[in-house]
Amino acid sequence: MAEKSWLTDIPEMDRSSLLQLRKTMDGAYRDFSREYGDSIEAFFDPLLTFLIWFEKLLLNSPWWLVLGVIAGLAYAASRSAKLTIGVAVSLVVVGYFGMWDDTMRTMSIITVCTLISIVLGIPIGIAMARSNRVQSTVTPMLDIMQTMPAFVYLIPVVMLLGIGRIPGVIAVVIYAIPPVIRLTNLGIRLVDKEVLEAATAYGANPRQRLLGVQLPLAMPTIMAGINQTINQTIMMALAMVVIASMIGVKGLGQPVLKSITNQYFTIGLLNGLAIVVLAIIFDRVSQAYGKRTQAHLGGGHE
């Protein structure tokens, strides 16, 4: 005898209720999308405008100028001539194989996602550190953001905003922002209470304690969070390039997707290697900068 499905153990009335609940939720989301979709798109228009502008800036600027700026930033962050030369040579090789434009598109998305994660994450982390209620509310949300698969929260975003760059940016930021929030909160909470009491005794108000005592002392931990956020943003953005290409985001992911659907081995291999090169460049530079900054803020020596 065939085994019964566990669904058969659910009373018919309960199954009807579950089906009705799903239909109600689907209908509510469709109504919400129709009612507020245009307003939400308008809210993200400035971000889309900036993203398009930055992408065009990288694409329209002379390659040698972009290469020089990236190499200069790499040296400023790492103070390593070997790493800087490696970054320059890697990008020259990427350009030589005809992948410069797609690499610049992907780099623009990575940069914007990193900036958004830092700009939003630090204030949220500060709010969590100053209020246990905020912390208890935000922490479960961060847990969900870090564990939920990207496809799950990409579906409602695409349904709401359509295909394009913004859904891809939102998906990356959702995954990448938790570290900077958590470590900003942790860094501020770990500040010695005696130091805060001394600041209060000298007449410092809450704002002065935050800006003059807590944030400077918590900066090494915050920088660790920012560095981890940069790394997660980079890894997530590069992992998402193929998924994002399915919803219209241009970059290195589209040739990879094309190679998968049409069995173009060389195109997929070269663009996959370009993704790896980009990941290594950002990872090594951000790690070097993070180590230097933490050593400086922690009173160490470079």
Side-chain angles (χ1 to χ4, degrees):
M1 181 182 292
E3 293 185 5
K4 292 184 178 180
S5 170
W6 64 271
L7 289 172
T8 59
D9 296 331
I10 301 177
E12 186 68 29
M13 183 178 298
D14 291 343
R15 278 186 284 174
S16 299
S17 300
L18 289 173
L19 182 61
Q20 185 61 39
L21 177 62
R22 289 169 54 187
K23 289 182 177 180
T24 302
M25 293 177 65
D26 289 340
Y29 186 81
R30 282 194 295 269
D31 293 340
F32 175 82
S33 178
R34 291 167 184 165
E35 182 72 22
Y36 299 104
D38 292 339
S39 300
I40 295 175
E41 285 186 19
F43 175 79
F44 284 106
D45 276 346
L47 175 60
L48 180 60
T49 301
F50 175 76
L51 187 58
I52 293 173
W53 171 82
F54 187 55
E55 181 181 299
K56 287 183 177 179
L57 178 66
L58 293 177
L59 291 174
N60 296 332
S61 299
W63 68 268
W64 51 266
L65 178 60
V66 176
L67 181 62
V69 170
I70 294 174
L73 291 173
Y75 182 77
S78 65
R79 294 292 194 273
S80 171
K82 291 182 179 179
L83 181 58
T84 304
I85 293 172
V87 168
V89 171
S90 299
L91 290 176
V92 168
V93 172
V94 166
Y96 177 78
F97 283 102
M99 297 176 292
W100 181 264
D101 287 356
D102 286 335
T103 301
M104 291 301 102
R105 291 188 180 98
T106 301
M107 184 176 293
S108 67
I109 293 176
I110 293 172
T111 305
V112 170
C113 290
T114 302
L115 292 175
I116 292 173
S117 298
I118 294 172
V119 169
L120 294 179
I122 291 179
I124 296 173
I126 293 173
M128 288 177 64
R130 293 169 68 89
S131 171
N132 290 330
R133 180 177 298 178
V134 174
Q135 178 177 251
S136 62
T137 302
V138 175
T139 299
M141 297 171 62
L142 297 179
D143 294 337
I144 293 173
M145 290 162 66
Q146 287 188 294
T147 56
M148 183 178 292
F151 268 119
V152 176
Y153 50 75
L154 201 56
I155 292 171
V157 174
V158 170
M159 290 175 63
L160 189 62
L161 298 173
I163 61 174
R165 296 176 177 88
I166 295 300
V169 170
I170 292 174
V172 174
V173 170
I174 288 175
Y175 178 82
I177 200 174
V180 71
I181 296 177
R182 291 184 188 276
L183 289 176
T184 299
N185 172 41
L186 178 64
I188 294 176
R189 286 180 178 271
L190 288 178
V191 173
D192 195 341
K193 292 183 179 180
E194 293 182 359
V195 176
L196 294 177
E197 291 174 357
T200 303
Y202 278 102
N205 59 38
R207 183 172 178 273
Q208 290 171 330
R209 289 200 304 271
L210 174 66
L211 299 179
V213 179
Q214 290 176 294
L215 284 180
L217 292 177
M219 196 55 66
T221 306
I222 294 174
M223 285 305 303
I226 291 175
N227 189 53
Q228 189 174 347
T229 295
I230 291 172
N231 290 334
Q232 283 204 213
T233 303
I234 295 160
M235 295 305 124
M236 180 59 176
L238 294 173
M240 284 286 292
V241 290
V242 178
I243 297 175
S245 68
M246 298 178 184
I247 57 172
V249 178
K250 295 182 179 179
L252 292 169
Q254 287 194 334
V256 174
L257 181 64
K258 182 179 179 181
S259 70
I260 293 172
T261 55
N262 296 283
Q263 297 183 348
Y264 295 150
F265 173 76
T266 306
I267 293 177
L269 178 62
L270 290 177
N271 283 271
L273 290 176
I275 293 173
V276 172
V277 166
L278 210 54
I280 293 173
I281 288 173
F282 275 94
D283 182 61
R284 294 294 183 272
V285 172
S286 64
Q287 282 191 18
Y289 178 72
K291 289 178 181 178
R292 286 183 57 248
T293 305
Q294 289 183 60
H296 174 72
L297 293 172
H301 300 282
E302 294 182 23

